[in-house]
Amino acid sequence: MSYDLAIVGAGPAGMAAAVEARALGLAVLVVDEQAAPGGQVFRAIEAAHADPALGADYSNGLALAQSFRRSGATYRPGTTLWHLEPETGTLSLSPGAPAQARRVLLATGAQERPVPIPGWTLPGVMGMGAAQIMLKTAGAVPRGRTVLAGQGPLLWLLAVQLKRAGAPPALILETTPKGRLRAALAQGGWFAGRGQLLKGLGLLAAARGLPVVRAVTGLRAEGEGRVQRLRWDGGETACDTLLLHEGVVPATHVPLALGLEHAWDQAQQCWRPVLGAHGASSHPNVAVAGDGAGIGGWPAAVAGGQLAALDAAHRLGRLTAEGLAQRAAPLLRMQAEALALRPFLDALYAPSAAVLAPPEDATLVCRCEEVTAGQVRAAARLGAQGPNQAKAFLRSGMGACQGRMCGATVARLIAETRGVAPEEVSPLRPRAPYKPLTIGQLAGL
């Protein structure tokens, strides 16, 4: 079946875009890997919106999900995009038949930045985002002595959510260096974003009473068969579950595979698609919205999704240039307000050099193929110019995650070894299928 607009992802940006596009009369398809709408931030919102552990901000997603359900968009949950032909607008999907669209919006959100410390592959070590998924979808909390280590808003949000759920973390190891707050305040934006800042201060107040060690460096997980203890410079503790987090980065797997133009984001230390004001990418048929376009949080993602829908309607002849400008103006203001605090947050929670490029050669960086930091450095000295060449040397990026968890780290290690700026090393270029397929699925096409 053919559609005017196909949206990949049913998070805040994807849902908002679908609602806006349907209101403008577009035929809309939304495909999403999850069983229900919400994305990561509003995951399982329809079932868990009344859970007091998740907080009032989480409940804001219910109205958006309900509007999406009523919009009339064709919705295919539990569906994976494994290939996109942007010239023809053909989406190869699994399971089910392919779809055709005149315009495609990628609203695939963000992913947690990998935190490759020694021992991070031990059972019992997880990302905080994964722990939050379990809390939202199943009401599950970690058992035993849980330690949260890292930095960023999610660290404090999850700590408070676990506390409300009756399973407070035994210890919080915050990795933000001393003096970072002063540098962040100098970036500005904190006054314009004071509403969000007050929410953050509220989280810190709610976390009061939880034991915290600040300015932690040299973190390593140890244990026999699973994580049992943590060590860091100047301290150690017993541990049954370690939850790591050093911020999130745009999920650029599909945009990179399509060859869309990307630029290095110095503040967030990652690649992001180059986009117009309304989310249009370097390909005339593809747009990107939400955290996949640059980390900004769910209010900015909602505005970005709506802007992309307006732009699609204009390009497809359903909205005049004057109508686009008129409708876009308040959304652009909303987006700017939602992003006002980003310079402050990016400066406060900038990842350390040790997170971006593990200093110990024995640390695994590619879990799928068991490639260490030392092996990547050796490949760089032998001539690997970036992660695409490193695949030929080491198979890094060729496992089940297809480089999602190691591509950025491999690139940073190569940049460090070659003595060049990170933006001088091209990012990993994924290939279709974007997610692993079975032989049976391929044979059934």
Side-chain angles (χ1 to χ4, degrees), residues 152-237:
L154 181 59
L155 167 71
W156 298 106
L157 175 59
L158 183 61
V160 171
Q161 289 175 335
L162 291 176
K163 182 180 179 182
R164 290 172 182 156
L171 182 62
I172 296 173
L173 301 175
E174 190 183 34
T175 57
T176 307
K178 292 180 179 178
R180 186 67 68 75
L181 178 59
R182 183 182 298 108
L185 289 171
Q187 293 294 317
W190 58 270
F191 183 77
R194 57 191 178 277
Q196 296 176 61
L197 187 59
L198 288 173
K199 284 185 180 180
L201 293 174
L203 279 178
L204 293 177
R208 191 173 295 131
L210 297 175
V212 181
V213 179
R214 302 190 185 277
V216 168
T217 58
L219 184 68
R220 59 192 310 116
E222 299 175 348
E224 290 72 49
R226 63 168 292 110
V227 63
Q228 295 171 319
R229 59 192 168 273
L230 303 177
R231 300 185 193 276
W232 63 93
D233 295 337
E236 63 178 274
T237 186

Side-chain angles (χ1 to χ4, degrees), residues 4 16-17 21 26 45-46 48 92 115 196 200 227 259 283 288 303 350 365 371 379 400:
D4 294 317
L26 301 186
I45 185 64
E46 294 166 314
S92 298
V115 189
Q196 296 176 61
V227 63
H283 193 285
V288 185
V365 295
V371 177

Side-chain angles (χ1 to χ4, degrees), residues 84-391:
L84 170 62
E85 175 47 64
E87 299 298 334
T88 62
T90 303
L91 295 88
S92 298
L93 306 170
S94 176
Q100 203 88 12
R102 298 169 66 190
R103 188 159 183 79
V104 178
L105 171 61
L106 301 175
T108 51
Q111 65 173 65
E112 282 192 278
R113 189 189 300 275
V115 189
I117 63 170
W120 73 308
T121 59
L122 283 170
V125 181
M126 301 170 56
M128 292 186 199
Q132 196 181 53
I133 288 173
M134 295 173 66
L135 179 62
K136 290 176 178 178
T137 57
V141 296
R143 298 175 64 179
R145 183 176 171 82
T146 301
V147 179
L148 274 57
Q151 61 176 343
L154 181 59
L155 167 71
W156 298 106
L157 175 59
L158 183 61
V160 171
Q161 289 175 335
L162 291 176
K163 182 180 179 182
R164 290 172 182 156
L171 182 62
I172 296 173
L173 301 175
E174 190 183 34
T175 57
T176 307
K178 292 180 179 178
R180 186 67 68 75
L181 178 59
R182 183 182 298 108
L185 289 171
Q187 293 294 317
W190 58 270
F191 183 77
R194 57 191 178 277
Q196 296 176 61
L197 187 59
L198 288 173
K199 284 185 180 180
L201 293 174
L203 279 178
L204 293 177
R208 191 173 295 131
L210 297 175
V212 181
V213 179
R214 302 190 185 277
V216 168
T217 58
L219 184 68
R220 59 192 310 116
E222 299 175 348
E224 290 72 49
R226 63 168 292 110
V227 63
Q228 295 171 319
R229 59 192 168 273
L230 303 177
R231 300 185 193 276
W232 63 93
D233 295 337
E236 63 178 274
T237 186
C239 177
D240 298 302
T241 301
L242 170 61
L243 303 179
L244 297 169
H245 183 74
E246 287 284 347
V248 295
V249 294
T252 55
H253 197 76
V254 177
L256 285 171
L258 294 176
L260 302 184
E261 184 181 355
H262 283 65
W264 179 254
D265 188 322
Q266 185 64 32
Q268 297 182 356
Q269 291 291 295
C270 63
W271 292 95
R272 61 189 292 179
V274 175
L275 305 173
H278 305 143
S281 77
S282 56
H283 193 285
N285 298 336
V286 181
V288 185
D291 277 351
I295 305 304
W298 73 263
V302 167
Q306 292 173 307
L307 286 166
L310 293 176
D311 188 56
H314 172 59
R315 290 169 183 263
L316 298 177
R318 302 293 182 87
L319 191 63
T320 65
E322 294 76 14
L324 171 62
Q326 183 178 14
R327 288 171 176 260
L331 295 174
L332 290 169
R333 288 194 295 270
M334 288 170 54
Q335 190 179 54
E337 290 171 5
L339 294 173
L341 195 62
R342 286 315 311 180
F344 172 83
L345 293 175
D346 291 341
L348 181 61
Y349 296 127
S352 69
V355 167
L356 297 171
E360 296 188 30
D361 280 346
T363 303
L364 281 176
V365 295
C366 176
R367 302 182 300 184
C368 300
E369 300 295 333
E370 298 185 337
V371 177
T372 66
Q375 289 174 304
V376 175
R377 290 186 173 102
R381 288 192 289 269
L382 288 171
Q385 299 295 299
N388 298 296
Q389 294 77 30
K391 287 199 297 184

